[in-house]
Amino acid sequence: MIGVLLQNNVIIIYMLITRIKASNFYGIKDPIEIVFTEGGEKEKIGYANVGKERVSLISGFYGANASGKSTVLNALDTIIRIMLSKQQEFIIGPNGIKQEVVISLPNYHTDMQSKPTVMEMDFIVAEIKYNYSISLINEGREISEEVLYKNNKKVFSRKNNNVSFEGNIERKIGAVAKNIVAPKKSSFLSVILDDSSDVSVFGNIKEEMGISELKQIKNKICFITDKRSVQIGQNNINGLVA
């Protein structure tokens, strides 16, 4: 799958999604994984060559009603939104009542109530391979864990509100690293990519993390979902869009 950004009809950057994985999300209980690659270095129509693999540029999902097609799209939509967009704490619902934002809707089966929602995605931006994973608790209202890898090297990890960095990054930014507290409602990655984040607090972390490629796609991604999914998860969608 691919996101293409155009400027004056010229492609300036792209995002290839190569794999997604999710558990305890909407209708998903046990972990499911979908891979958008196949082996082979020979060029093939509809694929982009990345090393010894081909990545699908256009993917389709088909099946009976309630078989999970929309859930797959929602998983993609949700994890990318969490990566790139800071969340708000509350929204005003249709009835005018203040409601706590749900970041990601879990599977509400009784067997899953004590388990986190876990989402993971492999993707490529500007020929750089990333792996991002996140866990949510409290019925999808809080982020408990988060990890970002770049070319198989961990950039940072987050456990509840505590953030730790890869060794070289932590040494370069010094004591600042020990004073960072990640918000419970937003991914740390989205905070780093947000231009409004307090530079005096984060110092040169943004530069040292070396993820400028992600900053370029932050405000240029188009999210698509179906009407019924928006209606079911309206609080979720409203909060994430904001």
Side-chain angles (χ1 to χ4, degrees):
M1 303 183 73
I2 183 170
V4 180
L5 309 182
L6 300 177
Q7 183 173 333
N8 297 325
N9 294 321
V10 177
I11 297 176
I12 56 174
I13 195 169
Y14 60 85
M15 178 178 178
L16 290 167
I17 299 172
T18 59
R19 182 183 69 95
I20 61 167
K21 187 176 182 179
S23 63
N24 193 14
F25 175 79
Y26 276 72
I28 301 171
K29 287 179 58 181
D30 299 324
I32 66 165
E33 182 179 65
I34 301 176
V35 178
F36 299 103
T37 63
E38 65 177 25
E41 299 181 56
K42 186 177 180 180
E43 291 188 4
K44 186 177 177 180
I45 295 175
Y47 291 80
N49 285 51
V50 181
K52 295 184 178 180
E53 289 185 317
R54 290 189 290 256
V55 184
S56 175
L57 299 181
I58 301 174
S59 296
F61 302 95
Y62 65 92
N65 290 342
S67 62
K69 301 185 299 296
S70 295
T71 301
V72 173
L73 296 178
N74 285 333
L76 284 167
D77 181 271
T78 299
I79 192 169
I80 294 175
R81 288 183 189 278
I82 292 173
M83 283 172 50
L84 303 180
S85 303
K86 289 173 64 177
Q87 323 307 330
Q88 57 185 2
E89 293 282 334
F90 298 93
I91 62 171
I92 303 300
N95 52 9
I97 298 176
K98 186 177 181 182
Q99 300 176 347
E100 187 177 3
V101 168
V102 176
I103 305 171
S104 175
L105 292 177
N107 181 299
Y108 285 106
H109 192 279
T110 53
D111 292 347
M112 307 304 292
Q113 289 179 351
S114 63
K115 298 180 180 180
T117 297
V118 181
M119 309 184 76
E120 184 176 349
M121 183 171 73
D122 292 347
F123 59 99
I124 300 169
V125 177
E127 299 184 357
I128 297 172
K129 293 184 177 181
Y130 286 95
N131 169 271
Y132 181 77
S133 61
I134 192 158
S135 297
L136 300 105
I137 56 174
N138 188 18
E139 295 188 337
R141 291 180 172 85
E142 297 180 14
I143 296 171
S144 60
E145 295 184 36
E146 178 184 7
V147 184
L148 177 69
Y149 283 87
K150 178 179 179 180
N151 288 333
N152 299 317
K153 188 174 184 180
K154 185 185 293 184
V155 178
F156 77 88
S157 61
R158 172 242 187 98
K159 180 73 173 178
N160 295 321
N161 299 114
N162 300 316
V163 180
S164 60
F165 298 90
E166 181 273 327
N168 288 332
I169 297 174
E170 191 157 322
R171 283 191 290 273
K172 289 179 179 179
I173 62 181
V176 174
K178 302 183 183 301
N179 299 321
I180 292 177
V181 177
K184 67 178 182 179
K185 286 287 188 182
S186 294
S187 68
F188 181 67
L189 180 56
S190 70
V191 173
I192 286 294
L193 296 176
D194 188 349
D195 289 332
S196 68
S197 295
D198 192 341
V199 177
S200 64
V201 173
F202 293 111
N204 61 344
I205 291 177
K206 296 182 181 183
E207 289 72 26
E208 295 298 344
M209 287 178 69
I211 53 175
S212 59
E213 305 83 16
L214 303 186
K215 190 173 180 180
Q216 291 182 58
I217 68 171
K218 179 180 179 295
N219 297 316
K220 301 176 182 179
I221 288 289
C222 175
F223 299 101
I224 301 174
T225 189
D226 61 85
K227 181 179 178 181
R228 180 172 178 272
S229 298
V230 172
Q231 291 171 339
I232 291 175
Q234 191 65 54
N235 293 345
N236 184 32
I237 297 296
N238 285 345
L240 292 172
V241 168

